[in-house]
Amino acid sequence: MSGGRRREASIAHVDLDAMFAAVEQRDKVSLRGRPVVVGGVAGRGVVATASYEARQFGARSAMPTAEARRRCPSGTAFLAPRFAAYRKTSEVVMAVLAELSPLVEQVSIDEAYLDLAAAGHHDLTVGGVTALAEQARREIAAATGGVTASIGIGTSKLVAKIGSDLNKPNGLTVVAPGDEQAVLHPLPVTRLPGVGPATAERLRRSGLHTIGDLARVDRSDLIDWFGQAHGAGLYRLARAEDDRAVVGEREAKSVSAEETFEFDLTDRGRLNHEIDLLATRVGSRLRAGGLSARTVTIKVRHHDFTTITRSATRAQPTDDPRLVAQFARTLLAEIDTSAGIRLLGVGATTLADFVQDDLFGSTVTATPDTFATSGAHHRPADHEEGSPPTAPGRPTPPAATDWRPGQDVRHDNHGSGWVWGSGRGVVTVRFEGPSTPPGPVRTFAVDDPALHPSDPPDWTNTPPVAAPA
DNA sequence: TCTGGGGTCCTAGGACCC
DNA sequence: TCTGGGGTCCTAGGACCC
């Protein structure tokens, strides 16, 4: 047999159709049947998902939202994503899938592979898995209140994945064992997972357009063109050789946060402050996940879109947002930012699933350290220069006294907000949208989740609290 | 109103070690 | 006395995915 591949079509790929837009249309009746675009709605935003109605006008994922606005008629809804709602819907779908097989690999918020053989009791004939998938699609739509799924089933992940794409939306494709190459070969190479713009262009220059064309190329040529891993991988995929297993849980290898600014930034103080905010998000997520990291990476996108990264690795792992921020600042200090910075990012890698106890205690042995300013014995005082002015300690959210006038509280597609004033238990914030003048001053309780950079809050529904004295 | 944000994997060179 | 050779770690960048 050609490569590792099972005899029965027992791997399913489930893909929710235009999920973000579908959830919005489910939750708001007036959006049904109308073009809906979900994504960054600010100046530099891009489309995350376009509903099928919006796709008719040419709106596509990853397209600048401004371009989608030009293409779509008035009456099109442009919405900022509500990740919390999508996550809930995703959980509902995954629960349905878990009933079908004990082996489910969730690849993203709207996609999963199932190993139907792992259940042990399914009829794995083409007829059997077809009936199973039809039932799954009905159950998904019912459980989610109308969000539909497309399903592909085949002898491998590759075939299942390509199959789920063939009959979108709300479709089912079962590729019978033995039919794999016949299904794959007429398709354009861009349908193969791992073939993006660069690979497609290189293949096009050699006159190769379909997967069938690709299957006629020597393995050694592909390795010359694309390197060992990618070249050999393409060679196998073109032959439908794919023995990747469906795997359950995978451990995170990195945690990162980044932000594109409405306007390029040059001010050092402001950049340092943004780094602090990003590092605080990363550190908080490390802690929430019980992780610590040895390597901190910053990402800098210049005004001209050139992007660089700088990283440094320490001997000891940390999950302290203040320390992550300090590393990140040190890395940023080496970079010329005078021409304008479009994006900043902070990432943490070399993750360990334990937290170094007493990292700063006197019992810790001194270790060679990359950073002169962050030796292992050095514990930054709360408001010492070099530590973020508002970094929350272990208990979040921050105490009322951590909010200071002038401090940025969040930046997202709704615009920027900064603290206007604060008092006992409350903080007042003013927001400025990308295309709107500064909005009214709003007042929040300090533990209001709307103040934290997780999901874009619906400000209009945030209950008012008493203004500070 | 060109080009988001969160990830994964691979490559390649240099340091360092045996 | 002229380049060994393999393995691992670190860093930077790039392709790709959703």
Side-chain angles (χ1 to χ4, degrees):
Chain A
M1 174 167 109
S2 51
R5 195 204 296 152
R6 45 184 83 189
R7 281 203 302 275
E8 287 152 327
S10 57
I11 295 183
H13 181 255
V14 178
D15 197 346
L16 302 178
D17 302 315
M19 185 213 194
F20 294 3
V23 169
E24 298 302 335
Q25 289 175 319
R26 175 197 70 191
D27 290 350
K28 203 164 182 187
V29 176
S30 65
L31 296 176
R32 296 182 192 168
R34 276 174 55 195
V36 172
V37 173
V38 181
V41 294
R44 287 173 166 176
V46 299
V47 175
T49 306
S51 72
Y52 283 87
E53 296 88 347
R55 291 182 197 188
Q56 291 197 304
F57 298 100
R60 292 283 182 277
S61 291
M63 170 185 283
T65 302
E67 172 71 17
R69 284 189 201 276
R70 260 178 256 122
R71 291 176 181 240
C72 290
S74 65
T76 301
F78 289 86
L79 306 173
R82 294 183 302 139
F83 284 105
Y86 312 149
R87 235 173 271 128
K88 265 183 207 158
T89 300
S90 180
E91 284 166 14
V92 166
V93 173
M94 296 305 150
V96 169
L97 300 183
E99 295 291 315
L100 262 55
S101 169
L103 192 46
V104 176
E105 178 178 346
Q106 182 170 1
V107 236
S108 72
I109 196 166
D110 65 349
E111 246 184 80
Y113 289 100
L114 271 75
D115 189 336
L116 298 174
H121 58 82
H122 290 309
D123 169 8
L124 298 178
T125 63
V126 167
V129 297
T130 300
L132 205 57
E134 291 293 6
Q135 177 200 336
R137 289 199 314 115
R138 282 193 301 271
E139 287 177 5
I140 288 169
T144 59
V147 176
T148 63
S150 293
I151 301 183
I153 297 186
T155 52
S156 65
K157 280 184 163 179
L158 169 72
V159 171
K161 166 98 175 154
I162 286 183
S164 71
D165 222 29
L166 288 179
N167 264 315
K168 261 185 163 303
N170 200 8
L172 169 64
T173 302
V174 179
V175 178
D179 287 357
E180 292 85 1
Q181 301 212 15
V183 170
L184 255 52
H185 283 186
L187 298 174
V189 288
T190 48
R191 293 289 192 105
L192 286 177
V195 175
T199 303
E201 172 58 20
R202 177 64 189 82
L203 293 172
R204 193 197 60 77
R205 288 208 312 271
S206 294
L208 305 168
H209 303 281
T210 67
I211 298 175
D213 294 339
L214 183 61
R216 286 189 288 275
V217 181
D218 286 344
R219 189 171 180 277
S220 58
D221 284 341
L222 291 175
I223 290 174
D224 281 350
W225 296 347
F226 300 113
Q228 178 62 45
H230 194 204
L234 288 174
Y235 182 83
R236 287 171 56 86
L237 291 185
R239 286 162 180 70
E241 293 174 12
D242 175 23
D243 57 4
R244 290 173 297 163
V246 178
V247 294
E249 289 283 304
R250 277 183 294 188
E251 287 185 2
K253 301 208 159 136
S254 67
V255 173
S256 67
E258 64 184 54
E259 170 127 4
T260 295
F261 308 113
E262 272 321 303
F263 306 97
D264 296 347
L265 301 183
T266 53
D267 179 73
R268 274 282 172 186
R270 175 74 191 275
L271 287 165
N272 277 331
H273 182 52
E274 297 293 343
I275 282 280
D276 290 342
L277 295 173
L278 293 164
T280 301
R281 281 161 64 181
V282 169
S284 302
R285 282 168 54 201
L286 286 174
R287 278 191 180 165
L291 298 167
S292 57
R294 287 178 52 226
T295 306
V296 171
T297 303
I298 66 163
K299 175 172 168 182
V300 176
R301 178 117 75 209
H302 295 287
H303 68 289
D304 62 355
F305 219 74
T306 57
T307 307
I308 62 171
T309 61
R310 292 293 179 267
S311 68
T313 301
R314 284 172 38 99
Q316 304 292 340
T318 184
D319 68 346
D320 187 333
R322 291 168 300 188
L323 209 45
V324 175
Q326 209 171 20
F327 293 1
R329 276 194 182 216
T330 308
L331 291 167
L332 182 66
E334 305 293 314
I335 294 168
D336 180 4
T337 57
S338 56
I341 299 304
R342 176 188 179 93
L343 168 149
L344 279 181
V346 173
T349 53
T350 330
L351 300 185
D353 60 356
F354 63 90
V355 173
Q356 178 89 13
D357 278 331
D358 198 24
L359 180 59
F360 303 102
S362 55
T363 59
V364 173
T365 309
T367 53
D369 200 283
T370 315
F371 298 98
T373 56
S374 59
H377 291 100
H378 177 78
R379 177 178 200 135
D382 273 351
H383 300 297
E384 181 181 337
E385 177 60 31
S387 68
T390 60
R394 270 179 195 274
T396 55
T401 50
D402 284 343
W403 300 101
R404 301 208 188 133
Q407 175 198 335
D408 296 351
V409 290
R410 64 173 291 127
H411 301 268
D412 61 16
N413 293 330
H414 298 271
S416 300
W418 64 93
V419 173
W420 191 255
S422 63
R424 200 173 184 69
V426 294
V427 58
T428 49
V429 179
R430 169 169 272 176
F431 290 89
E432 183 173 346
S435 56
T436 59
V441 170
R442 300 187 62 85
T443 304
F444 301 88
V446 287
D447 58 353
D448 190 325
L451 280 173
H452 295 283
S454 50
D455 290 337
D458 183 355
W459 302 106
T460 55
N461 291 334
T462 306
V465 299

